[in-house]
Amino acid sequence: MHALRLALTDPRFPAAAAPGALTVQNGARPALARALTAAAAPVTDDLTGTLADALDADGVAVHRPPLGTLVATVPTDAEARHEARAAVDAVDDEAVRLRSAVKAHDGFFTTFFISPYSRYIARWCARRGLTPNQVTTASLLTALIAAGCAATGERGGYIAAGVLLLVSFVLDCTDGQLARYALKYSTMGAWLDATFDRAKEYAFYAGLALGAARDGDDVWALALAAMILMTCRHVVDFSFNEANAESTGATAKTSLAVSSRLDSLGWTVWARRMIILPIGERWAMIAVLTAVTTPRIVFWALIVGCAFGACYTTAGRVLRSLTRKARRTDRAAQALADLADSGPLAALANRVLGRTGILMLPPLVLALIATGALFAAVLGRPFGSDQTVVAAVLYVVFAGAAVARPLKGPLDWLLPPLFRAAEYGTILILAARSEVNGALPAAYGLVAAVAYHHYDTVYRIRGGTGAPPTWLVRTIGGHEGRTLLVTVLAALLASRGNDFTLALTALAVTIALVVLVESIRFWVSSGAPAVHDEGETA
């Protein structure tokens, strides 16, 4: 039965087929009607196979899951039927179902310390009618309680926070396993799972910073640096994957071949998964260090570990992109443009520049000039300096020019993470250099609100529904508009004490309200395909 459930009742796919069986959802039924009409003549062999091939030819992607140890066959005589029944009886259906509930590729900590028992928690939840969304929500609430415990600043609170963070991660694994075990995928589940992971981790960072402040240690800058590093690292992953999702040429083929050869060496699989500090290893490290050390040590360990992982993965991708050229599709170029999050000022800069020589430079060169000039100003000039505003204007011009043409170059996937680093880094540096009380916590809230918008963009693209609406990007200014606005606020309010903090807070609240309301409306009411995000790639 589980073979048929896997093959025929998965709501994520418009059509699915197994030996002797075919199912389609509402959107693919017109194509099925056309296939049935075309197959009106008697079919002497496999009718369902013929229809599945016809659906594929009609543009409907038919899901044909690998059945593995499960059995699905169409016997044609008594002997074949007897053999089929014997094969079915030889399979422990429940054991296979439990095993298939666990992701095939996961991190070392998750595989050996979480999944051996979390799959049974998922089965327990399924038998009691609990949904993946309920488990996801329970994971979020547990993490928020953990953040509250960390915010006490006491050793007992830190120990409780570490334990609860691990419990939250167990539930985080359980929701995906429950979705796979019970085949309960949903659009809402995709949104909850995608956003709650970031909400949990960043709320815990804030809790640690609050707890440290109670002990007289200000680590808000470290908390914000850790959040920025994590987000930029994820954007590198998203951009590279989107840029090469439909590439043709040697890049994808060679990368796949190299990966397959490495996977044949068992020890390299776990080494490569652990070295990049995936979510399981990262949360385990945070939990243990929170319980036994201080928030400052936790953040430094995070920054060093994640920086190493980011450099390792990014360097490998840059080398592959340079040495193995691929032809990028229009869809991939559009996805990179959407991930860049350019606003109205970038469009205005393009119109003003026209076909000047600036636009002839490669997009990556323009982005590097924009980011380098901006960081040189915010780091090298006094807080609130007019030169910083001039550098921000130049950033707008060059960043706009960088996205004026389709992003089909071998390294153009680096533009979105560069823009994220420029925007988030500018906010961090200006808040830290302002030396204004509360500026760094306000900057933390602002970056969190903008990062939510960027993650939301990623998961909309992943779901095949495209980027957020143009009006939303224009309303919140695009990355270049927000960067310019923050530098202007720093220049105007440099001598007015806490006004800079109030301005950052107001900006954070405004952006958070706009993006959250639109995002919730989209994920609740849209016709986005039912998916369940499987978390970070291990």
Side-chain angles (χ1 to χ4, degrees), residues 170-203:
V170 172
L171 294 174
D172 184 55
C173 295
T174 300
D175 66 354
Q177 292 166 359
L178 174 58
R180 288 183 286 272
Y181 181 88
L183 287 178
K184 290 184 176 179
Y185 301 96
S186 68
T187 300
M188 176 64 74
W191 176 67
L192 292 177
D193 196 56
T195 56
F196 280 11
D197 277 353
R198 302 286 75 76
K200 289 180 288 189
E201 191 164 1
Y202 298 160

Side-chain angles (χ1 to χ4, degrees), residues 447-521:
V447 172
V450 176
Y452 175 86
H453 164 63
H454 291 143
Y455 279 108
D456 185 54
T457 301
V458 166
Y459 288 106
R460 293 195 198 207
I461 294 173
R462 277 186 171 183
T465 58
T470 303
W471 70 261
L472 176 66
V473 177
R474 290 176 177 172
T475 299
I476 61 176
H479 72 93
E480 79 288 351
R482 292 186 298 269
T483 303
L484 178 60
L485 177 59
V486 171
T487 57
V488 169
L489 289 173
L492 293 176
L493 305 176
S495 60
R496 295 176 58 180
N498 291 328
D499 286 355
F500 184 58
T501 298
L502 294 176
L504 291 179
T505 303
L507 185 59
V509 171
T510 301
I511 292 176
L513 286 175
V514 172
V515 300
L516 276 173
V517 169
E518 204 287 324
S519 176
I520 293 172
R521 179 209 62 78

